[in-house]
Amino acid sequence: MTNEKHSDTQQEAKLFFSRFLLEWYHLQKRDLPWRRHRNPYYIWISEIMLQQTRVDTVIPYFNRFIEQFPTVEALADAPEEEVLKCWEGLGYYSRARNLQAAAKQVKEQYGGQVPDDRDAVFGLKGVGPYTAGAILSIAFNRPEPAVDGNVMRVLSRYFLIEDDIAKGPTRVKMEKLAAELIPEGEAGSFNQALMELGALICTPKSPRCLPCPVMEHCAARLAGCEASLPVKTKAKPPRPEERLAALVEGRGEHAGRVLIRQRPASGLLARMWELPHWPAPPAADGGAGSALLPEAAALDRLRRSMSQAGIHARPEGHWMAAEHTFSHIVWTLQVYRCREEAALPLAAERRAGYTAAADPQAAEPQEPALFDSGDAALDAADRGALRWISREDMGSYAFPNVFLKLLNSYFDEREQAGD
């Protein structure tokens, strides 16, 4: 095929793609709450929530969020704890913090109005190329590409692009191509159509080619390789880490309550609340990973960890296991029920540090290095503020999903037992 003929064929494929994809979208698009208006703030919220999260999961969160924080100013002025609580269970909590920080930028720099200037939008905290393109195109109909994983998958298949989409130059290439495909005056609808096709038809596995509105010119389908695209380097798997968690049950004035701690102001799950937990040592045979410590060794390790943190409680036995996955690490939490041994000076409304002064008269030598995980952020988390809470108090604290489930399971058990 001559270069000129190839160019004509490519141009025909581009025009076909833009026209029929847009027609399909106008007929088949889903009725989603953020599509019922052109409010830039709402569109911005939805795009942040939709990062790495399914649409069905996002819908109730979006509705609650805009009800509680209906304007940029409302979000900017809200206590961070309220924002995190409203985000609770959605995961990737840095998104919520960045969103509030950006809302403060918009309030202070742009009078509470989301800017329609490309450089201004790119300058907002937590807003990258995809989110900026989505806001500018959907809210303001600016001809900006919005290229995420769904879009790169669609373009890789339709144009038979075999470059690794995990690499920066490929993203740049895709953004240039996506910008060329935007029909004049239809930027918002076209970008949403691309996303919709990737979400509903051109799915990661087993793409549904027959109902695809652009299958006729899809180069990967014609070559029979649609299932093998896009090419993407596999990410490094998250590192497994075993941790021992303490479900400390109160007694006396703390009866019916459990002990929680707050994470540091920065780093992993910043300022969120959790059950106290510490890294588990390797098993006696030198292994690591999911191998459980012998019960006696785990209880002893947990007792000493709590003692060093100023928590006077006695581990009583294994309760359950749970898992929490981050992009770079997987916590396997072995949760042990513990009983408060002495009333801790921690009223529900008061904060206290974790660090306990070394006792020079202690019969057992202090071993701070024993509990050093090698991760400064994780070690800082082991010294957070403490609170005693009941189930009714949970509404005042934001928990990562795994701890929310653990606490609800515990209080459910108590209610069923009639405690």
Side-chain angles (χ1 to χ4, degrees):
M1 184 183 294
T2 66
N3 288 339
E4 184 178 348
K5 187 173 182 180
H6 176 73
S7 178
D8 289 344
T9 302
Q10 278 285 93
Q11 187 60 28
E12 180 185 354
K14 289 178 180 179
L15 292 172
F16 179 91
F17 182 87
S18 300
R19 174 188 169 187
F20 285 94
L21 178 61
L22 203 53
E23 289 182 2
W24 169 82
Y25 176 71
H26 287 312
L27 290 172
Q28 302 292 334
K29 66 180 178 182
R30 288 172 290 180
D31 179 22
L32 302 175
W34 46 87
R35 288 180 176 166
R36 298 171 189 167
H37 44 69
R38 296 287 289 274
N39 185 318
Y41 171 64
Y42 291 177
I43 291 167
W44 176 22
I45 298 297
S46 72
E47 289 299 333
I48 297 297
M49 287 187 169
L50 286 164
Q51 293 171 11
Q52 299 171 297
T53 310
R54 293 174 59 86
V55 167
D56 291 346
T57 300
V58 165
I59 289 173
Y61 280 94
F62 173 81
N63 289 333
R64 283 197 302 270
F65 200 90
I66 63 172
E67 180 179 352
Q68 187 165 348
F69 312 112
T71 64
V72 170
E73 291 89 344
L75 177 58
D77 295 340
E80 184 185 81
E81 290 78 7
E82 289 184 13
V83 177
L84 290 175
K85 188 64 183 177
C86 197
W87 201 274
E88 184 181 68
L90 199 54
Y92 300 96
Y93 294 94
S94 61
R95 294 182 298 173
R97 295 189 188 89
N98 288 339
L99 183 59
Q100 185 175 34
K104 293 177 180 178
Q105 286 179 265
V106 173
K107 178 187 174 184
E108 294 166 4
Q109 299 175 26
Y110 307 107
Q113 300 299 312
V114 178
D116 64 355
D117 176 77
R118 187 176 188 275
D119 291 340
V121 172
F122 265 93
L124 298 177
K125 190 170 180 62
V127 173
Y130 165 76
T131 305
I135 293 169
L136 290 165
S137 62
I138 299 170
F140 303 109
N141 209 25
R142 298 278 294 276
E144 295 284 345
V147 175
D148 66 355
N150 274 344
V151 170
M152 286 196 283
R153 182 171 64 253
V154 170
L155 297 182
S156 291
R157 288 171 175 168
Y158 186 82
F159 292 100
L160 193 53
I161 298 171
E162 297 178 291
D163 300 338
D164 185 348
I165 66 169
K167 298 187 180 299
T170 305
R171 173 175 284 277
V172 172
K173 178 179 180 178
M174 294 284 193
E175 288 173 347
K176 183 176 182 295
L177 175 58
E180 293 171 356
L181 294 169
I182 298 173
E184 187 174 354
E186 293 280 9
S189 292
F190 179 77
N191 281 344
Q192 290 181 93
L194 260 177
M195 301 170 201
E196 196 87 329
L197 189 71
L200 301 181
I201 303 293
C202 200
T203 50
K205 297 179 181 178
S206 304
R208 300 169 55 218
C209 293
L210 288 179
C212 177
V214 295
M215 65 172 288
E216 184 178 333
H217 285 274
C218 178
R221 185 192 68 83
L222 293 172
C225 62
E226 67 276 7
S228 64
L229 291 175
V231 174
K232 184 178 181 180
T233 303
K234 288 187 178 180
K236 184 179 179 181
R239 181 183 79 253
E241 183 176 303
E242 196 91 17
R243 294 184 74 83
L244 305 177
L247 181 73
V248 182
E249 301 173 289
R251 66 176 188 172
E253 66 176 305
H254 303 140
R257 296 173 179 265
V258 296
L259 192 67
I260 61 171
R261 75 176 177 194
Q262 188 176 33
R263 297 186 64 79
S266 61
L268 198 67
L269 302 173
R271 286 186 288 273
M272 300 195 76
W273 294 82
E274 63 185 2
L275 296 177
H277 57 97
W278 295 268
D285 60 3
S290 60
L292 275 173
L293 278 175
E295 179 87 350
L299 293 176
D300 180 64
R301 177 60 172 256
L302 192 57
R303 177 187 61 79
R304 289 189 289 154
S305 297
M306 289 191 293
S307 177
Q308 286 193 350
I311 300 172
H312 304 290
R314 181 180 69 256
E316 296 188 331
H318 187 268
W319 178 49
M320 68 165 60
E323 191 173 276
H324 193 67
T325 302
F326 304 92
S327 58
H328 65 297
I329 190 170
V330 177
W331 283 346
T332 298
L333 298 159
Q334 301 298 341
V335 187
Y336 292 81
R337 292 181 79 152
C338 307
R339 178 71 63 178
E340 181 189 7
E341 287 191 319
L344 300 180
L346 297 168
E349 71 279 359
R350 184 168 167 269
R351 297 190 176 210
Y354 264 45
T355 52
D359 180 1
Q361 305 301 318
E364 186 176 61
Q366 301 295 309
E367 300 178 281
L370 182 65
F371 305 107
D372 183 357
S373 72
D375 186 318
L378 289 177
D379 293 334
D382 295 341
R383 297 181 290 275
L386 300 170
R387 301 278 178 86
W388 288 104
I389 64 162
S390 64
R391 170 166 248 167
E392 290 70 26
D393 298 323
M394 286 176 63
S396 301
Y397 302 89
F399 298 93
N401 208 35
V402 64
F403 295 105
L404 189 67
K405 290 179 179 178
L406 286 169
L407 286 165
N408 279 323
S409 293
Y410 169 74
F411 286 120
D412 285 344
E413 281 188 12
R414 286 185 60 89
E415 287 176 8
Q416 290 168 10
D419 291 348

